[in-house]
Amino acid sequence: MADTARAALDLTSLGAEMHALVRELYPICRSITGDGVRQTLRALARVAPLELVEVPSGTPVLDWTVPREWNIRDAWVADASGRRVIDFRASSLHVVSYSVPVRTHLPFAELRARLHALPAHPDWIPYRTSYYDETWGFCLTQRQLDALEARGERAEYEVVIDSTLTPGHLTYGELMLPGELEDEILISAHVCHPSLADDNLSGLAVAATLARHLSKRPRRHTLRFLFAPGTIGAITWLARNRERASRIKHGLTVTCLGDAHPFTYKRTVGGAAPVDRAAAHVLARHTEKAHQTIDFFPYGYDERQYNSPGFRLPVGSLMRGRHGQFPEYHTSADDPAFVSAERLAESLGVLAEIVDVVDGDRRYRNLAPEGEPQLGKRGLYRAMGGTNIPNLQFAMLWVLNLSDGEHGLLDIAERAAMDFTTVRAAADLLAQHGLLAPI
Amino acid sequence: MADTARAALDLTSLGAEMHALVRELYPICRSITGDGVRQTLRALARVAPLELVEVPSGTPVLDWTVPREWNIRDAWVADASGRRVIDFRASSLHVVSYSVPVRTHLPFAELRARLHALPAHPDWIPYRTSYYDETWGFCLTQRQLDALEARGERAEYEVVIDSTLTPGHLTYGELMLPGELEDEILISAHVCHPSLADDNLSGLAVAATLARHLSKRPRRHTLRFLFAPGTIGAITWLARNRERASRIKHGLTVTCLGDAHPFTYKRTVGGAAPVDRAAAHVLARHTEKAHQTIDFFPYGYDERQYNSPGFRLPVGSLMRGRHGQFPEYHTSADDPAFVSAERLAESLGVLAEIVDVVDGDRRYRNLAPEGEPQLGKRGLYRAMGGTNIPNLQFAMLWVLNLSDGEHGLLDIAERAAMDFTTVRAAADLLAQHGLLAPI
Amino acid sequence: MADTARAALDLTSLGAEMHALVRELYPICRSITGDGVRQTLRALARVAPLELVEVPSGTPVLDWTVPREWNIRDAWVADASGRRVIDFRASSLHVVSYSVPVRTHLPFAELRARLHALPAHPDWIPYRTSYYDETWGFCLTQRQLDALEARGERAEYEVVIDSTLTPGHLTYGELMLPGELEDEILISAHVCHPSLADDNLSGLAVAATLARHLSKRPRRHTLRFLFAPGTIGAITWLARNRERASRIKHGLTVTCLGDAHPFTYKRTVGGAAPVDRAAAHVLARHTEKAHQTIDFFPYGYDERQYNSPGFRLPVGSLMRGRHGQFPEYHTSADDPAFVSAERLAESLGVLAEIVDVVDGDRRYRNLAPEGEPQLGKRGLYRAMGGTNIPNLQFAMLWVLNLSDGEHGLLDIAERAAMDFTTVRAAADLLAQHGLLAPI
């Protein structure tokens, strides 16, 4: 096998390292702006040298405006005795994200409409946001809510959200690894979710670890890693990088990469981009378990923005569990125990291999196109004729036959039903013997 | 739901009205020319204001010639006692259509070759024609035939067909409802069959009722309704309207719309015209029962002529029972009891909806194509972020993403697996908010 | 039915004749050069008048060089008593093809590495070659090998291969049957295998018999039959006939046509050439048994060379058993009893019919394209209208509708799900009546 990025990964130790990072980042309260995002990006910068970019509130970005910066120190609902019945210190999910500051006393009858729980999962806290509507609220378990209801409508509570919503900045992290080509491969992960492990500390850990690994390896494409708040972060980056965006030839958003579900790849809106074919190839040939590839739809994560008609960047999405399709999604059950070192490592391997394929896919021209060249006299073919043919020799015949200017290595791998890695190794061998030249 | 043509239909009362029309028209002896056709067209003109067009016998039309006009007053076969053993007054099917006049006496041995029955259905009279070969004959039930055979070969019969075949006219009915566009939608129904209810009084009743209904509604396309004798009628219309024909962008022939079979849609010869996709969409999403869409073949009704290589008009065919595929087809069992008000009404609804789709399908351009526009600030998006998304909002995201100049609303509905109606409503909303403009 | 090449074949007597030819040629030791090939080609020239072409050793052909000529008179391994324990006279397979001359004495311990057997089939001798590596060896049954091993490592043997490898010629046979067109149909069979009946005496017998049969019939295309050693023979022909090769519009390699397996057709590299569609059509409609059509892959027989990117000749491959996929392949079990007269005859019929289709497929233009022409007034249509339509009339309607300049007769046959023969008969009839003209 060739020296591929995936082959060079020590997945066992990297899995443990990524899980430790997830555990470290879990307690931080992230949102689309604020110190939680900065703290998270700084931790990721220890893994790979990403740069933090600060964009002022009020900056117009495409059809949007960078919002005010939100920070929160503490929040609670306390009963008459002063006991916190809902306590932000226990989980950052307890406060509806972007809640305006509040400091008041309310009877339960009035507080009730501000409380969000999940009757179907009475021990889980839901995750709720209200970025663009000035309001506030708390999330809690159904059991907590039941207990409050048992105290009656008239019970009075102290309600405090010690947050600030002030002019500040939106922060994102970016890392560019230059390659031989100006053409870029983008890996993008949203950084805005609070204490949720799979969505998306898993994506952050995998992407940052991949960035570090690939920074040490040769590559053809320039690689770009983006860690930005969902929607507004991608929109901000696109607004500031229209020119650069047009160089992105392949991309992936990554999310939910640590859970136990089989892989799902969501295609680009075009549905037949190289990254779509590379992901399908890798998942079909290199994961023993079930997996699925699904069509694009304009919901989910930042693939929505990249695939919008004004950009049409071919960005797919790699995940295990599908957003909105598993019960733990966007609840406190998505905690560090919900993700495992093994799954994070497997995801890192698959992602590395998809990048290997899109980076290594290219067209060659057969320099001896009339008939088959005599491989035997070049030591490329077994001497004794029998019934079957070794795999690498068969790959050479495929590469020779299809290297007519119309087919790239991935086309050939698909047609031959062979690993991309084997086909690339065959092409390397033929090129070394002067039978093939890159186009 | 939008204000669609289908939604505006009072199907229950229209079903009853159409069935009454079928019963009224059933006894009339129609053929490809003659007073039966005129009488039928005049009755349809009570429903919708169609114009009767008379084309003289002998007129060259494409590769054909308008034939002499056929009229029939009476016909019978009587036994020696003068009793009518076959009597035209009992059913117009008893005489082979276009039979030349005859007045003679024959022994059964000679008469036999002129008689047509259905051994497999001994109580049904078959329907037979001989338009372009000067001959005559009678159709009768197998039981009638058996009784005649029992009387022996030598029994003598009086045979009378009191018909005329003389220079006259071919008659068709036409109705044009101008729209915003010169582009036309054609609905065409054959009017030449005698006492057969499903084939095609059902098609006549549904088409005329639809014409009346649509005449009162706004529309983009010009609508054309044609009620003409099969083959020669369509050929005559095409010969006289070559210029106009080229404006037909969508079309349907309609037949067998009152029986209890599930719908069948027969595609245009190209197989991927907008009307093909509209019909498939409507049948797949709006009929709960089984249905089928089948490939074009050059047999059936006037879709044969419209789809001929010199015209290639994209005209499909909507039917319930398929011609030649159900036993009652072209027999006396296709009587008013074989069709029902409910089925006629359901067919009217489906036909109206197909017309809705082809009329309403168009392309828009996203006016804020970079990223997603901020729907929330326009009141088009729920404020609180959770897990799922309402259908109409999702439809808006689909319309925005795919309104790139390449996709029309039907493309989007198909891609999104949503009702055309929902997608059109989303487009209307976005256009009202200045985010979308028609192309 | 039309007067087709297949219909004119007397398959029973031809089957017996072909099987006799297989039996006659079976004992000859063929290789890629030498007298065995000449002797075989001369026998085939009795069937059809092919010309023998001799190309000198050392001639550069594409990336290859014509090798020295190999001939063999005798070969054996004899024990101390002089008894031949392996004897070339018993089977030409006993010697690795192209073995250099050897005359020596060896202990079994040294001889062992030169011996090839098939443990899984202890009574079969394998077929091995070493064309381009100067070496020698023997093939034997596993039982023979076991017996030698039982005599011990130290037993001494006389080893003789009485072969010559000297400057000489490569020989191939060629037959050209001129047609109306310069465009050619190629039938190519490899002639280099020694005593193997199915692979490829069956292909040689079927191709030569077809050549004789078609030489007596009218045809549009020029037909070319090539009987050449595998790989180097096709490469030699291509190197000497670059101009001519470009006239080949349809082609088939033929092999393994006498065994009891259902047919396999291997497509051209493009996968949608007329010969691909013709073969699929013929196999689907005219063989009652299972069959398969498989994608091209760059291994197998000389389709590899014809489909190489410098030529891209649309040459498929017709076979019954697939090379390498049945146990008798390339072993002594592929003997005359493994093939039958009935299978050879059936293969001849299918091959003839594929050639019929590619030769007869062409486009016509409907000369009365507006609507359907009135077939009745030309006597081409039944007079009495009823429910169904005879097959030939339906074929005429299909031909008229699709003869728009875009569709050929095979397109029409596929679309109509009718026999090509019926569609061609319909086209002939329409052309006779002036309704159709060839393009």
Side-chain angles (χ1 to χ4, degrees):
Chain A
M1 281 299 165
D3 167 40
T4 62
R6 181 183 193 163
L9 284 165
D10 175 358
L11 291 180
T12 305
S13 78
L14 291 173
E17 191 182 310
M18 289 187 285
H19 199 264
L21 184 62
V22 167
R23 291 194 308 271
E24 175 193 340
L25 299 177
Y26 180 71
I28 299 171
C29 180
R30 280 163 294 272
S31 186
I32 55 174
T33 57
D35 290 328
V37 172
R38 282 187 197 93
Q39 190 180 345
T40 301
L41 292 173
R42 281 190 205 114
L44 295 174
R46 289 192 334 247
V47 179
L50 51 91
E51 178 195 1
L52 269 64
V53 179
E54 301 277 353
V55 183
S57 300
T59 305
V61 285
L62 306 182
D63 188 59
W64 304 61
T65 305
V66 173
R68 286 175 294 168
E69 181 171 330
W70 185 70
N71 282 292
I72 183 166
R73 269 170 303 274
D74 198 358
W76 68 87
V77 172
D79 63 15
S81 74
R83 196 177 66 82
R84 290 186 173 197
V85 294
I86 307 176
D87 185 356
F88 175 73
R89 293 173 309 191
S91 167
S92 70
L93 298 177
H94 272 312
V95 175
V96 168
S97 192
Y98 252 62
S99 281
V100 296
V102 60
R103 190 171 295 267
T104 188
H105 285 78
L106 287 177
F108 183 72
E110 284 179 42
L111 178 60
R112 180 67 191 80
R114 303 288 189 163
L115 302 181
H116 307 279
L118 292 171
H121 297 285
D123 292 314
W124 298 355
I125 310 165
Y127 164 52
R128 292 287 179 271
T129 65
S130 184
Y131 300 135
Y132 302 103
D133 197 43
E134 294 211 355
T135 186
W136 60 270
F138 284 87
C139 300
L140 70 172
T141 69
Q142 185 63 37
R143 289 201 204 285
Q144 287 178 298
L145 182 56
D146 292 344
L148 295 180
E149 284 186 332
R151 298 187 191 192
E153 295 275 302
R154 298 188 196 162
E156 281 278 325
Y157 295 93
E158 180 195 20
V159 178
V160 176
I161 297 181
D162 182 11
S163 66
T164 54
L165 251 176
T166 55
H169 293 82
L170 177 147
T171 317
Y172 63 80
E174 192 173 10
L175 171 61
M176 204 253 288
L177 300 173
E180 296 170 28
L181 307 175
E182 291 218 326
D183 288 351
E184 297 195 359
I185 300 171
L186 171 72
I187 307 293
S188 172
H190 60 277
V191 73
C192 51
H193 285 188
S195 300
L196 297 169
D198 198 32
D199 178 26
N200 190 26
L201 296 176
S202 71
L204 299 176
V206 168
T209 304
L210 182 69
R212 182 181 65 193
H213 178 67
L214 295 180
S215 69
K216 304 169 197 159
R217 295 182 51 81
R219 60 192 158 267
R220 295 178 61 235
H221 289 76
T222 294
L223 304 180
R224 186 172 300 278
F225 291 84
L226 184 61
F227 303 86
T231 304
I232 187 66
I235 282 169
T236 299
W237 187 87
L238 287 165
R240 294 162 51 91
N241 295 278
R242 276 190 177 85
E243 274 304 302
R244 237 170 221 177
S246 68
R247 297 185 203 151
I248 295 173
K249 302 305 180 200
H250 318 282
L252 284 161
T253 61
V254 291
T255 181
C256 297
L257 288 176
D259 64 66
H261 292 95
F263 285 100
T264 289
Y265 174 74
K266 176 183 171 183
R267 287 186 280 270
T268 67
V269 67
V275 69
D276 296 322
R277 296 170 49 222
H281 180 81
V282 168
L283 289 178
R285 299 190 66 82
H286 292 277
T287 66
E288 284 142 37
K289 297 126 204 154
H291 70 274
Q292 52 180 342
T293 59
I294 58 173
D295 271 338
F296 178 85
F297 51 89
Y299 197 59
Y301 291 108
D302 289 326
E303 64 276 10
R304 297 159 65 168
Q305 309 308 327
Y306 301 126
N307 284 281
S308 65
F311 291 102
R312 282 287 190 256
L313 304 181
V315 176
S317 189
L318 184 68
M319 53 201 135
R320 304 183 72 107
R322 287 179 55 180
H323 45 75
Q325 306 275 312
F326 53 97
E328 297 86 355
Y329 178 78
H330 279 194
T331 76
S332 57
D334 178 6
D335 64 12
F338 184 64
V339 308
S340 72
E342 291 71 23
R343 302 304 185 169
L344 289 165
E346 191 187 28
S347 298
L348 175 62
V350 163
L351 185 62
E353 191 155 359
I354 296 172
V355 172
D356 263 341
V357 174
V358 293
D359 188 51
D361 187 26
R362 62 193 307 182
R363 294 181 185 189
Y364 288 86
R365 187 170 301 283
N366 178 341
L367 300 176
E370 291 188 320
E372 289 170 9
Q374 193 176 359
L375 297 179
K377 71 184 181 192
R378 295 172 174 91
L380 297 176
Y381 211 72
R382 56 164 185 191
M384 178 72 66
T387 298
N388 291 310
I389 180 175
N391 217 32
L392 185 63
Q393 287 178 26
F394 197 22
M396 283 191 280
L397 295 180
W398 272 113
V399 170
L400 287 166
N401 189 295
L402 292 179
S403 288
D404 55 2
E406 301 294 314
H407 302 88
L409 297 184
L410 181 54
D411 296 318
I412 297 171
E414 286 178 345
R415 180 84 187 264
M418 286 181 164
D419 271 1
F420 180 84
T421 311
T422 305
V423 169
R424 186 166 50 176
D428 288 347
L429 211 48
L430 291 166
Q432 283 161 27
H433 285 80
L435 290 169
L436 217 58
I439 294 179
Chain B
M1 282 298 167
D3 168 42
T4 64
R6 180 181 195 166
L9 285 165
D10 175 357
L11 291 180
T12 306
S13 77
L14 290 173
E17 192 182 309
M18 291 187 285
H19 198 264
L21 184 62
V22 167
R23 290 195 309 271
E24 174 192 340
L25 298 177
Y26 179 71
I28 299 171
C29 180
R30 281 162 294 270
S31 185
I32 55 174
T33 58
D35 289 330
V37 173
R38 282 188 197 93
Q39 191 179 345
T40 301
L41 293 173
R42 281 189 205 113
L44 296 174
R46 291 191 334 247
V47 180
L50 50 93
E51 177 195 3
L52 270 64
V53 179
E54 300 277 354
V55 183
S57 300
T59 306
V61 286
L62 305 182
D63 187 60
W64 303 60
T65 306
V66 173
R68 286 175 295 167
E69 181 171 329
W70 185 70
N71 282 293
I72 182 165
R73 271 169 302 273
D74 200 356
W76 67 86
V77 173
D79 64 15
S81 73
R83 196 177 66 84
R84 291 187 173 196
V85 294
I86 308 176
D87 186 356
F88 174 74
R89 295 173 308 192
S91 169
S92 71
L93 298 177
H94 272 313
V95 175
V96 169
S97 190
Y98 252 62
S99 282
V100 296
V102 60
R103 190 171 296 266
T104 187
H105 285 78
L106 286 177
F108 182 73
E110 284 178 43
L111 178 60
R112 180 67 190 82
R114 303 289 190 161
L115 303 182
H116 306 279
L118 291 170
H121 297 285
D123 291 316
W124 298 356
I125 310 165
Y127 164 53
R128 292 286 179 272
T129 65
S130 183
Y131 300 134
Y132 301 103
D133 197 44
E134 293 213 356
T135 185
W136 60 269
F138 283 87
C139 300
L140 70 172
T141 69
Q142 184 63 37
R143 291 202 204 284
Q144 286 178 300
L145 181 57
D146 292 344
L148 293 179
E149 284 185 332
R151 298 187 189 191
E153 295 275 303
R154 298 188 195 162
E156 280 278 328
Y157 295 94
E158 180 196 19
V159 178
V160 175
I161 297 180
D162 182 10
S163 67
T164 54
L165 252 176
T166 55
H169 294 82
L170 176 146
T171 317
Y172 64 80
E174 191 174 9
L175 171 61
M176 203 253 288
L177 300 173
E180 297 170 27
L181 307 174
E182 290 218 326
D183 289 351
E184 295 196 359
I185 300 171
L186 171 72
I187 307 293
S188 172
H190 61 277
V191 75
C192 52
H193 284 188
S195 300
L196 298 169
D198 198 31
D199 180 23
N200 190 26
L201 297 176
S202 71
L204 300 175
V206 168
T209 304
L210 181 70
R212 182 181 63 194
H213 178 66
L214 295 181
S215 70
K216 303 170 198 158
R217 296 180 51 79
R219 59 193 159 266
R220 296 177 60 234
H221 290 76
T222 293
L223 304 180
R224 186 172 300 277
F225 291 83
L226 184 61
F227 303 85
T231 306
I232 187 67
I235 282 169
T236 300
W237 187 86
L238 287 166
R240 295 163 51 91
N241 294 279
R242 277 190 178 85
E243 274 305 303
R244 237 170 220 179
S246 68
R247 295 185 204 152
I248 294 172
K249 303 304 181 199
H250 317 283
L252 283 161
T253 63
V254 291
T255 181
C256 297
L257 288 177
D259 64 66
H261 293 95
F263 285 100
T264 289
Y265 174 74
K266 176 183 172 184
R267 286 185 281 269
T268 67
V269 68
V275 69
D276 296 321
R277 296 170 50 221
H281 180 82
V282 168
L283 289 178
R285 299 190 66 83
H286 293 277
T287 67
E288 283 143 38
K289 296 126 204 153
H291 70 274
Q292 51 180 343
T293 59
I294 58 173
D295 271 339
F296 177 85
F297 51 90
Y299 196 60
Y301 291 106
D302 288 326
E303 64 277 8
R304 297 160 64 169
Q305 310 308 326
Y306 301 126
N307 283 281
S308 65
F311 291 103
R312 284 285 190 258
L313 305 181
V315 176
S317 188
L318 184 67
M319 53 200 135
R320 304 185 71 107
R322 287 179 54 181
H323 44 76
Q325 305 275 312
F326 55 96
E328 297 87 354
Y329 178 78
H330 279 195
T331 77
S332 58
D334 178 6
D335 65 10
F338 184 64
V339 307
S340 73
E342 290 71 23
R343 301 303 185 170
L344 290 165
E346 191 188 27
S347 299
L348 176 62
V350 164
L351 184 61
E353 190 154 359
I354 296 172
V355 172
D356 262 341
V357 174
V358 292
D359 189 51
D361 187 26
R362 64 191 308 183
R363 295 182 185 188
Y364 288 85
R365 187 170 302 282
N366 179 340
L367 300 176
E370 292 188 318
E372 290 169 8
Q374 193 175 1
L375 298 178
K377 71 184 181 191
R378 296 171 175 92
L380 297 175
Y381 211 72
R382 58 167 182 187
M384 178 71 64
T387 300
N388 291 309
I389 181 176
N391 217 32
L392 185 63
Q393 286 178 26
F394 198 21
M396 282 191 279
L397 294 181
W398 271 112
V399 170
L400 286 167
N401 189 295
L402 292 179
S403 288
D404 54 4
E406 301 294 314
H407 303 87
L409 296 185
L410 181 53
D411 296 318
I412 297 171
E414 287 178 345
R415 179 85 187 263
M418 286 181 165
D419 273 1
F420 180 83
T421 312
T422 304
V423 169
R424 187 166 50 178
D428 288 348
L429 211 47
L430 291 166
Q432 284 160 27
H433 285 81
L435 289 170
L436 217 58
I439 294 180
Chain C
M1 281 302 161
D3 168 41
T4 64
R6 180 181 194 165
L9 285 165
D10 176 357
L11 290 180
T12 306
S13 78
L14 291 174
E17 191 181 310
M18 290 187 284
H19 199 264
L21 184 62
V22 167
R23 291 195 307 271
E24 174 193 340
L25 298 178
Y26 180 70
I28 301 171
C29 180
R30 280 162 295 272
S31 185
I32 55 173
T33 58
D35 289 330
V37 173
R38 283 188 195 91
Q39 193 180 341
T40 301
L41 293 173
R42 282 190 205 111
L44 295 174
R46 291 192 333 247
V47 180
L50 49 93
E51 177 195 2
L52 271 62
V53 179
E54 300 277 353
V55 182
S57 300
T59 307
V61 286
L62 306 183
D63 187 59
W64 303 60
T65 305
V66 173
R68 286 175 295 168
E69 181 172 331
W70 184 70
N71 283 293
I72 182 165
R73 272 170 301 274
D74 199 356
W76 68 87
V77 172
D79 63 17
S81 72
R83 196 177 66 84
R84 290 187 174 196
V85 293
I86 308 176
D87 186 357
F88 174 73
R89 295 173 309 193
S91 168
S92 70
L93 298 177
H94 272 313
V95 176
V96 169
S97 191
Y98 252 62
S99 282
V100 296
V102 60
R103 191 171 295 266
T104 188
H105 283 79
L106 287 176
F108 183 72
E110 285 179 41
L111 178 61
R112 180 67 190 80
R114 304 288 190 162
L115 303 182
H116 306 277
L118 292 170
H121 297 287
D123 292 313
W124 298 355
I125 311 165
Y127 164 52
R128 292 286 179 270
T129 65
S130 183
Y131 300 135
Y132 302 102
D133 196 42
E134 294 212 354
T135 187
W136 61 268
F138 284 87
C139 299
L140 71 172
T141 69
Q142 185 63 37
R143 291 201 202 284
Q144 288 176 298
L145 182 57
D146 292 345
L148 294 180
E149 283 184 332
R151 297 188 190 191
E153 294 274 302
R154 298 187 196 163
E156 281 278 326
Y157 294 95
E158 181 196 19
V159 177
V160 176
I161 297 180
D162 183 10
S163 66
T164 53
L165 252 176
T166 54
H169 293 84
L170 176 147
T171 318
Y172 63 81
E174 192 173 10
L175 170 62
M176 204 254 287
L177 300 174
E180 297 170 27
L181 307 175
E182 292 217 326
D183 288 352
E184 297 194 359
I185 300 170
L186 171 72
I187 306 294
S188 172
H190 61 278
V191 74
C192 51
H193 284 187
S195 301
L196 297 169
D198 198 32
D199 179 23
N200 189 25
L201 297 176
S202 71
L204 300 175
V206 168
T209 304
L210 181 70
R212 182 180 65 194
H213 178 67
L214 294 181
S215 70
K216 303 169 196 157
R217 296 180 52 79
R219 61 193 158 267
R220 296 177 60 235
H221 290 75
T222 293
L223 304 181
R224 184 172 303 275
F225 290 84
L226 183 61
F227 303 86
T231 306
I232 187 67
I235 281 170
T236 300
W237 186 87
L238 287 166
R240 295 162 50 91
N241 294 277
R242 277 190 178 84
E243 273 305 301
R244 234 168 225 179
S246 69
R247 296 186 204 150
I248 294 172
K249 303 305 181 200
H250 317 284
L252 283 162
T253 62
V254 291
T255 182
C256 298
L257 288 176
D259 65 66
H261 293 95
F263 286 100
T264 288
Y265 174 75
K266 177 184 171 183
R267 288 185 279 270
T268 67
V269 67
V275 69
D276 296 322
R277 296 170 49 222
H281 180 82
V282 169
L283 289 177
R285 298 191 66 82
H286 292 278
T287 65
E288 283 143 39
K289 296 127 204 152
H291 70 273
Q292 51 181 343
T293 59
I294 58 173
D295 271 337
F296 178 84
F297 51 91
Y299 195 61
Y301 292 107
D302 288 327
E303 63 277 9
R304 296 160 64 169
Q305 310 307 327
Y306 301 125
N307 283 281
S308 65
F311 291 103
R312 284 286 190 258
L313 305 181
V315 176
S317 188
L318 184 68
M319 53 201 136
R320 304 184 72 107
R322 286 179 55 181
H323 44 74
Q325 306 276 311
F326 53 96
E328 298 86 355
Y329 178 78
H330 279 195
T331 77
S332 58
D334 178 6
D335 64 11
F338 185 64
V339 308
S340 73
E342 290 71 24
R343 301 305 185 168
L344 290 164
E346 191 187 27
S347 298
L348 176 62
V350 163
L351 185 61
E353 190 154 0
I354 296 172
V355 172
D356 261 343
V357 174
V358 292
D359 189 51
D361 186 26
R362 63 192 307 184
R363 295 182 184 189
Y364 289 87
R365 186 170 301 283
N366 179 340
L367 300 176
E370 291 188 319
E372 289 169 8
Q374 193 175 1
L375 298 178
K377 71 184 180 190
R378 297 172 175 90
L380 297 175
Y381 212 73
R382 57 164 185 191
M384 179 71 64
T387 300
N388 292 311
I389 181 174
N391 217 31
L392 185 63
Q393 286 179 26
F394 197 23
M396 283 191 280
L397 294 180
W398 271 112
V399 171
L400 287 167
N401 190 295
L402 292 179
S403 288
D404 54 2
E406 302 293 314
H407 302 88
L409 296 184
L410 181 55
D411 295 319
I412 297 171
E414 287 178 345
R415 179 84 187 263
M418 286 183 164
D419 271 1
F420 180 83
T421 312
T422 305
V423 169
R424 186 165 52 177
D428 288 348
L429 211 48
L430 291 167
Q432 284 161 27
H433 284 82
L435 289 169
L436 217 58
I439 293 180

